[in-house]
């Protein structure tokens, strides 16, 4: 018989294997079976680990009501508590404007030769905050604080007034951070200066949304006129005609009666309606103004929440909101008619009140996709509710402009669908069902990373919406200085007209992110 033979008499038994060798073989065998079992388990019961979302400690407030209460009762930011006074003036003369212009030229000339990065965004943005009379600032904040608990006022379309103010409270979040003691601030790319000649831009701390909703109509219009007069009499305004001034008008109704007289300022907006219902032609455009997100109406679904809710997202598409809207928002009723009977779709009528907040939060956390159609304007607050809920937004708004799009890529967190495609029978549901599980996972992972960019807070956090706002404004500086200095030497009434008005209509292409 061929093969190896052992002579028993000669002690031909093979020698015993080393214990170390046997132990190693056993470990390898166990590892092999464990790998097979783990692979089978992960296939049958997949687990999803989301990136850790930016954690906020207990000292950080994301609630407007909670933060405002602390702000108004805090000694460090109480009115007039700053030890270094600003040089805001009550009246202006031509001599004041000339003096300021000379001082600014000297400051800019020095920075040009001493700062390698000037005037790029690498340098901290220097913001001068006007010390406006309290009737434009603190009095309005106190008015909100003293009425929101007892008031259940509704707008003409049924939305709770105080909740609308919260959604558009970007003016509070930016101002509260700017005037906080420097030792308490976390943002390093923007600093407050107390001399106008040192400023890159000027912030107007007027709460236009609170005044619109909580004051009587004639009282509000009178206050608007007073604010207009106060601001336009400042030397810095007259020097630049407002080009380097920041005006928060985040609700499309706010400051509407007089804002045309401040159209050269940088407007902080929720979107850019091109229908003419809210903004007249030539008043708003991307190169001049800035889109800021609404304040979310729901709580953040953090990485733990996202992991736990993964298996519970059994609804394909969710929408909760007002179904009948004006202007571009009329598409909502048409979408409801198209989608209501579709399997896996939940559509609910509701507003932004407390009950609506809870219902929206539960619905979004149970859904893979969240419908975000146009409202009365191209934008909608539920887009940002969906983002912080980990629900992939399906945006049906052909003329929508988005916050911080010079920094963020929304195609990595949302799906964009044209109105014509969305209204085609069966198209939208078939499109959503065609999105692969890997694409869904990628979008949800990116949502987890992006959520921090839409959470207003005090103190303002790095990479939060306040931070990105100042980064975007810093990117406009060279253009602001160009048009300011050019306007000072061009002959008035000449044909040398220059505008950066972006009039090309926005268009949406349907399809998954790439």
């Amino acid at each position: 018989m061929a093969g190896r033979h052992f002579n028993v008499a000669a002690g031909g038994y093979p020698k015993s294997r080393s214990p170390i060798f046997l132990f190693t073989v056993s470990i390898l065998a166990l590892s092999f079976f464990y790998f097979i079992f783990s692979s089978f388990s992960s296939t049958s019961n997949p687990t999803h680990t989301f990136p850790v979302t930016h954690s906020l400690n207990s000292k950080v407030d994301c609630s407007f009501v909670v933060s405002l209460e602390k702000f108004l009762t805090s000694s460090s930011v109480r009115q007039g508590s700053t030890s270094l006074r600003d040089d805001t003036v009550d009246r202006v003369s031509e001599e004041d404007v000339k003096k300021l212009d000379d001082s600014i030229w000297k400051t800019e000339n020095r920075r040009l030769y001493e700062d390698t990065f000037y005037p790029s965004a690498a340098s901290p943005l220097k913001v001068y905050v006007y010390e406006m009379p309290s009737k434009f600032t603190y009095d309005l904040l106190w008015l909100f604080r003293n009425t929101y608990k007892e008031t259940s006022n509704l707008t003409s379309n049924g939305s709770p007034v105080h909740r609308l103010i919260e959604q558009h409270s970007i003016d509070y979040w930016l101002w509260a951070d700017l005037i906080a003691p420097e030792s308490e601030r976390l943002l390093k790319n923007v600093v407050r200066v107390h001399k106008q000649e040192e400023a890159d831009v000027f912030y107007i701390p007027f709460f236009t949304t609170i005044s619109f909703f909580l004051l009587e109509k004639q009282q509000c219009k009178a206050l608007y006129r007073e604010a207009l007069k106060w601001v336009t009499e400042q030397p810095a305004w007259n020097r630049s005609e407002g080009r380097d001034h920041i005006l928060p008008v985040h609700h499309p109704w706010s400051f509407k009666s007089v804002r045309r007289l401040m159209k050269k300022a940088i407007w902080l907006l929720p979107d850019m309606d091109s229908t003419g219902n809210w903004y007249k032609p030539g008043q708003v455009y991307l190169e001049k103004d800035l889109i800021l997100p609404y304040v979310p109406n729901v709580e953040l679904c953090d990485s733990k929440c996202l992991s736990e809710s993964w298996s519970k997202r059994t609804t394909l598409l969710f929408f909760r909101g007002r179904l009948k809207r004006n202007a571009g928002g009329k598409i909502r009723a048409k979408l409801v008619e198209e989608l209501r009977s579709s399997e896996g779709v939940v559509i609910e009528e509701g507003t932004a009140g407390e009950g609506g907040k809870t219902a929206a939060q539960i619905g979004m956390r149970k859904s893979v996709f969240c419908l975000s159609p146009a409202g009365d304007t191209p934008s909608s607050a539920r887009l940002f509710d969906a983002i912080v809920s980990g629900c992939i937004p399906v945006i049906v708004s052909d003329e929508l402009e988005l916050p911080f799009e010079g920094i963020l890529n929304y195609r990595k967190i949302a799906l964009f669908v044209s109105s014509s495609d969305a209204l085609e029978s069966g198209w939208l549901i078939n499109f959503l069902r065609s999105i692969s599980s890997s694409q869904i996972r990628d979008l949800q992972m990116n949502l987890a990373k992006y959520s921090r960019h839409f959470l207003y807070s005090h103190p303002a956090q790095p990479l939060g919406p306040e931070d990105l706002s100042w980064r975007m404004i810093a990117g406009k500086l060279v253009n602001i200085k160009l048009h300011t200095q050019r306007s000072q030497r061009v002959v008035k009434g000449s044909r040398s007209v220059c505008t950066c008005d972006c009039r090309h209509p926005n268009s949406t292409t349907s399809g998954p992110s790439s």
Side-chain angles (χ1 to χ4, degrees):
M1 181 176 178
R4 188 173 179 180
H5 297 271
F6 295 95
N7 188 328
V8 177
Y13 283 113
K15 294 182 180 179
S16 300
R17 300 297 185 191
S18 165
I20 296 176
F21 174 79
L22 294 174
F23 177 77
T24 302
V25 170
S26 300
I27 292 297
L28 290 173
L30 287 172
S31 299
F32 174 76
F33 286 115
Y34 176 77
F35 173 78
I36 295 297
F37 176 77
S38 298
S39 299
F40 176 78
S41 299
S42 63
T43 302
S44 57
N45 298 296
T47 58
H48 297 270
T49 303
F50 289 87
V52 177
T53 53
H54 181 60
S55 59
L56 300 175
N57 62 48
S58 58
K59 294 183 179 180
V60 177
D61 295 312
C62 290
S63 164
F64 173 60
V65 172
V66 172
S67 178
L68 180 61
E69 182 69 26
K70 292 181 180 178
F71 175 83
L72 290 174
T73 56
S74 171
S75 60
S76 63
V77 293
R78 191 172 294 133
Q79 182 183 11
S81 64
T82 178
S83 58
L84 183 59
R85 305 296 296 178
D86 289 341
D87 58 359
T88 302
V89 300
D90 295 325
R91 292 181 178 82
V92 64
S93 65
E94 289 186 12
E95 184 61 30
D96 293 325
V97 178
K98 184 178 184 305
K99 186 185 296 184
L100 177 62
D101 186 58
D102 289 340
S103 297
I104 290 177
W105 178 81
K106 291 176 182 177
T107 300
E108 292 181 342
N109 202 47
R110 174 178 54 78
R111 291 172 68 183
L112 175 63
Y113 292 106
E114 294 180 1
D115 186 348
T116 304
F117 298 103
Y118 178 79
S120 76
S123 302
L125 183 70
K126 296 176 173 59
V127 182
Y128 181 89
V129 182
Y130 281 120
E131 285 197 356
M132 298 184 73
S134 62
K135 60 184 173 184
F136 302 118
T137 55
Y138 289 91
D139 291 355
L140 292 171
L141 292 177
W142 278 108
L143 177 62
F144 176 91
R145 185 259 188 189
N146 292 334
T147 60
Y148 82 93
K149 288 183 180 178
E150 294 79 21
T151 305
S152 57
N153 292 356
L154 301 178
T155 64
S156 58
N157 62 22
S159 299
V161 164
H162 284 72
R163 181 54 207 147
L164 272 179
I165 292 172
E166 291 182 63
Q167 283 184 341
H168 295 278
S169 59
I170 60 98
D171 42 13
Y172 164 76
W173 296 107
L174 290 172
W175 184 58
D177 177 66
L178 282 173
I179 68 172
E182 198 59 36
S183 59
E184 298 177 10
R185 298 184 66 250
L186 302 178
L187 303 188
K188 303 305 179 185
N189 64 325
V190 57
V191 295
R192 181 187 181 186
V193 295
H194 296 269
K195 292 183 178 181
Q196 296 189 13
E197 68 220 43
E198 297 176 354
D200 293 315
V201 291
F202 297 79
Y203 186 80
I204 303 170
F206 178 34
F207 294 98
T208 58
T209 301
I210 294 179
S211 52
F212 177 83
F213 281 110
L214 299 187
L215 296 180
E216 294 295 331
K217 185 175 182 179
Q218 295 307 316
Q219 185 185 9
C220 175
K221 286 187 174 182
L223 191 65
Y224 283 176
R225 289 192 296 269
E226 288 182 58
L228 173 68
K229 183 176 185 296
W230 192 94
V231 172
T232 56
E233 286 185 347
Q234 296 302 313
W237 178 277
N238 283 270
R239 174 184 175 271
S240 68
E241 297 180 306
R243 289 179 174 87
D244 50 6
H245 283 56
I246 299 169
L247 177 66
V249 283
H250 199 259
H251 193 281
W253 294 343
S254 62
F255 218 47
K256 193 174 181 181
S257 59
V258 298
R259 64 192 183 196
R260 69 185 184 282
L261 302 173
M262 304 179 79
K263 65 180 182 180
K264 292 181 182 178
I266 304 165
W267 290 9
L268 305 183
L269 303 163
D271 58 36
M272 292 184 181
D273 172 47
S274 63
T275 65
N277 290 326
W278 309 109
Y279 311 112
K280 301 304 178 185
Q283 286 186 350
V284 297
Y285 41 94
L286 285 175
E287 288 78 4
K288 175 179 77 72
D289 303 309
L290 186 64
I291 307 293
L292 267 67
Y294 290 74
V295 177
N297 190 39
V298 298
E299 304 296 329
L300 169 67
C301 186
D302 59 17
S303 53
K304 182 178 182 229
C305 164
L306 290 169
S307 297
E308 292 175 350
S309 66
W310 170 266
S311 61
K312 300 175 184 177
R313 294 184 183 269
T314 55
T315 300
L316 176 68
L317 181 65
F318 176 80
F319 172 83
R320 179 181 174 82
R322 301 287 294 181
L323 301 182
K324 294 183 179 179
R325 306 301 278 182
N326 299 315
K330 291 179 180 178
I331 191 175
R332 288 191 185 184
K334 297 177 182 178
L335 282 171
V336 169
E337 186 68 24
E338 164 63 24
L339 298 171
R340 192 183 288 279
S341 60
S342 300
E343 183 180 354
V345 175
V346 174
I347 295 177
E348 300 174 350
E349 174 92 18
T351 62
E354 196 58 38
K357 170 182 177 178
T358 302
Q361 181 165 298
I362 292 172
M364 287 184 171
R365 292 186 182 187
K366 286 183 176 180
S367 307
V368 178
F369 300 104
C370 283
L371 186 64
S372 182
D376 288 340
T377 64
S379 68
S380 169
R382 67 191 36 75
L383 166 61
F384 308 102
D385 291 346
I387 289 173
V388 301
S389 298
C391 187
I392 301 167
V394 179
I395 299 173
V396 185
S397 182
D398 296 348
E399 297 180 352
L400 177 65
E401 300 296 350
L402 292 162
F404 320 133
E405 202 163 9
I407 299 173
L408 307 179
N409 186 346
Y410 284 85
R411 293 181 300 107
K412 302 303 181 184
I413 63 169
L415 301 175
F416 294 86
V417 177
S418 69
S419 298
S420 58
D421 283 341
L423 294 175
E424 186 179 330
S425 180
W427 189 95
L428 183 57
I429 297 303
N430 291 334
F431 169 64
L432 295 181
R433 294 194 188 283
S434 73
I435 307 298
S436 69
S437 58
S438 63
Q439 285 178 302
I440 290 174
R441 177 173 170 78
D442 288 345
L443 289 164
Q444 290 175 326
M445 295 285 280
N446 291 333
L447 280 173
K449 295 176 185 176
Y450 266 38
S451 60
R452 67 187 296 183
H453 305 315
F454 305 96
L455 293 175
Y456 293 91
S457 64
H458 189 72
Q461 302 292 300
L463 293 179
E466 301 93 338
D467 185 8
L468 297 193
S469 297
W470 297 122
R471 294 189 190 205
M472 290 290 291
I473 289 174
K476 299 177 184 289
L477 274 189
V478 173
N479 206 43
I480 291 171
K481 294 180 185 298
L482 183 157
H483 286 282
T484 296
Q485 296 181 163
R486 183 178 180 279
S487 68
Q488 293 170 333
R489 57 92 180 164
V490 170
V491 176
K492 302 299 180 185
S494 71
R495 298 177 62 183
S496 180
V497 178
C498 179
T499 178
C500 55
D501 187 348
C502 180
R503 297 182 183 274
H504 297 291
N506 186 8
S507 59
T508 299
T509 302
S510 300
S513 61
S514 56

